[in-house]
């Protein structure tokens, strides 16, 4: 969803594969535990941790220490994973970001490239209910460019992450196919194989008002505006030109419905989990007179959205 600039407001962490280690090598002292900065306060799962400053050279490869192991299912690519976390750089004692203070866990689709590579790799294969500490070298974090001003270029990152929940995501919408009788609206395919459905935009004038209609009506509960959703989606301009697709990235997207363009929030609220929805979003409910990457100013946007799960 990051490619739809402005759709999603994200924490700082969102923005060559190294080996991932759970080994016990590394010197321990008051400031270091198993090669990573020690947790000096808030040791238990659910508590906001405090980290010491790293000593010596940081690890050159991704390093994962399991602080306490949960007894839940093992996370895998494609799962919607809900976590609390705190992050700081190796040479600092001041966190640059944490969800504990916000009082709101963060949800991501694992393996979808929504977060830095060190997160996708470090969280995979961990049990729900675990607290882990991750040391992330620059090439799996923000590289040499960093993320100023909080993260300088070439910084090694250290995170403590509590894995709260992992949800296995269906590959497609599934339910009752709904007739598409309005010739002035785009037509959407009804396949349920996990591939992007066909999307054909008519050669007529775009609707002036928001359109939200079922293509496939699921059987789940109704979406609320405060929900965090996991979806597969594609977006095209009214002339049929594609500008974004989660299908092309190979993984569903997860985001709070409150943090997207108004056309998504209003169009998906009340729709059932498990459904495929056609959205036609006029400029007033999209990006208005502001151009965004592949989206010209004053564009009408067309989306197919499979509402796969809520968190």
């Amino acid at each position: 969803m990051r490619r739809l600039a402005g759709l999603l407001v994200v924490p700082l962490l969102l923005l060559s594969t190294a080996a991932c280690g759970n080994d016990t090598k590394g010197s321990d002292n008051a400031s270091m535990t198993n090669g990573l900065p020690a947790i000096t306060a808030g040791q238990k799962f659910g508590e906001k941790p405090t980290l010491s400053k790293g000593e010596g050279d940081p690890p050159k490869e991704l390093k994962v220490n399991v602080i306490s192991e949960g007894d839940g299912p093992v996370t895998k690519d494609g799962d919607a994973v809900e976590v609390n976390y705190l992050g700081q750089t190796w040479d600092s004692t001041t966190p640059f970001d944490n969800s504990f203070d916000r009082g709101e866990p963060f949800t991501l689709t694992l393996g979808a490239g929504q977060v830095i590579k060190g997160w996708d790799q470090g969280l995979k294969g961990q049990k729900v209910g675990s607290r882990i500490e991750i040391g992330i070298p620059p090439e799996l974090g923000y590289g040499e460019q960093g993320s100023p001003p909080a993260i300088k270029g070439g910084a090694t990152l250290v995170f403590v992450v509590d894995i709260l929940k992992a949800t296995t995501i269906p590959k497609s919408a599934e339910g009752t196919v709904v007739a598409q009788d309005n010739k002035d609206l785009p037509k959407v395919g009804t396949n349920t194989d996990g591939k992007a459905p066909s999307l054909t935009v008519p050669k007529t004038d775009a609707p002036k008002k928001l359109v939200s209609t079922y293509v496939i009506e699921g059987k789940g509960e109704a979406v609320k505006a405060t929900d965090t959703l996991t979806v597969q989606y594609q977006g095209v301009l009214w002339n049929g030109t594609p500008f974004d697709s989660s299908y092309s990235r190979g993984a569903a997207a997860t985001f709070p419905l409150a943090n997207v363009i108004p056309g998504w929030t209003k169009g998906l609220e009340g729709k059932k989990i498990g459904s495929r929805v056609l959205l036609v979003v006029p400029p007033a409910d999209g990006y208005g007179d502001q151009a965004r990457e592949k989206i010209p100013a004053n564009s009408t946007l067309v989306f197919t959205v499979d509402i796969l799960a809520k968190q």
Side-chain angles (χ1 to χ4, degrees):
M1 188 64 75
R2 287 169 51 207
R3 287 166 178 76
L4 263 179
L7 262 185
L8 182 55
V9 178
V10 296
L12 181 60
L13 68 94
L14 292 184
L15 251 178
S16 85
T17 300
C20 171
N22 287 334
D23 58 272
T24 58
K25 297 178 182 178
S27 59
D28 290 357
N29 55 44
S31 298
M32 300 288 290
T33 302
N34 190 19
L36 293 177
I39 300 175
T40 57
Q43 291 271 358
K44 295 180 180 179
F45 183 94
E47 297 178 342
K48 178 185 174 181
T50 300
L51 281 172
S52 63
K53 181 179 179 180
E55 290 188 0
D57 293 333
K60 297 184 182 301
E61 297 181 341
L62 183 69
K63 185 172 181 60
V64 181
N65 291 341
V66 177
I67 307 301
S68 60
E69 188 173 62
D71 56 6
V74 173
T75 60
K76 61 185 183 302
D77 283 345
D79 283 353
V81 180
E82 183 178 285
V83 302
N84 271 320
Y85 68 92
L86 177 141
Q88 67 187 46
T89 58
W90 180 268
D91 56 0
S92 174
T93 57
T94 302
F96 57 76
D97 192 17
N98 87 90
S99 65
F100 293 94
D101 287 345
R102 290 193 293 271
E104 181 180 350
F106 172 61
T107 302
L108 67 144
T109 303
L110 195 60
Q114 295 176 334
V115 291
I116 55 177
K117 291 181 180 179
W119 264 56
D120 269 340
Q121 295 177 23
L123 290 175
K124 182 179 178 180
Q126 304 295 336
K127 292 183 179 180
V128 172
S130 296
R131 165 167 284 195
I132 63 174
E133 185 176 7
I134 313 174
I136 301 176
E139 60 269 23
L140 298 180
Y142 295 98
E144 295 305 315
Q145 76 276 11
S147 184
I151 302 173
K152 65 183 181 181
T156 294
L157 311 178
V158 183
F159 287 93
V160 176
V161 184
D162 287 352
I163 305 172
L164 307 175
K165 182 181 178 182
T167 304
T168 298
I169 304 302
K171 65 180 181 180
S172 173
E174 189 170 336
T176 302
V177 174
V178 177
Q180 301 178 63
D181 297 327
N182 190 334
K183 64 182 178 57
D184 294 324
L185 291 181
K187 296 298 183 285
V188 181
T190 57
N191 58 296
T192 57
D193 57 2
K195 297 180 181 179
S198 59
L199 175 57
T200 305
V201 181
K203 297 184 183 301
T204 59
D205 291 338
K208 301 299 184 184
K209 295 183 178 181
L210 177 69
V211 174
S212 173
T213 184
Y214 283 120
V215 176
I216 298 174
E217 184 174 356
K219 299 179 180 179
E221 61 184 285
V223 170
K224 299 188 291 293
T226 54
D227 286 341
T228 292
L229 301 180
T230 298
V231 305
Q232 287 276 24
Y233 72 95
Q234 61 182 323
V236 304
L237 304 178
W238 187 256
N239 65 12
T241 302
F243 60 84
D244 194 16
S245 171
S246 63
Y247 296 98
S248 66
R249 295 193 291 277
T254 300
F255 57 86
L257 191 57
N259 288 358
V260 294
I261 56 174
W264 273 60
T265 306
K266 293 188 287 187
L268 295 183
E269 184 178 9
K271 291 295 189 285
K272 296 176 182 177
I273 303 296
S275 298
R276 176 170 298 160
V277 177
L278 167 69
L279 295 177
V280 181
V281 180
D285 288 317
Y287 297 107
D289 59 3
Q290 302 296 311
R292 297 293 182 100
E293 298 184 7
K294 298 179 181 179
I295 302 174
N298 298 308
S299 290
T300 294
L301 311 177
V302 182
F303 296 93
T304 69
V305 184
D306 279 19
I307 310 171
L308 302 179
K310 78 168 191 175
Q311 310 311 313

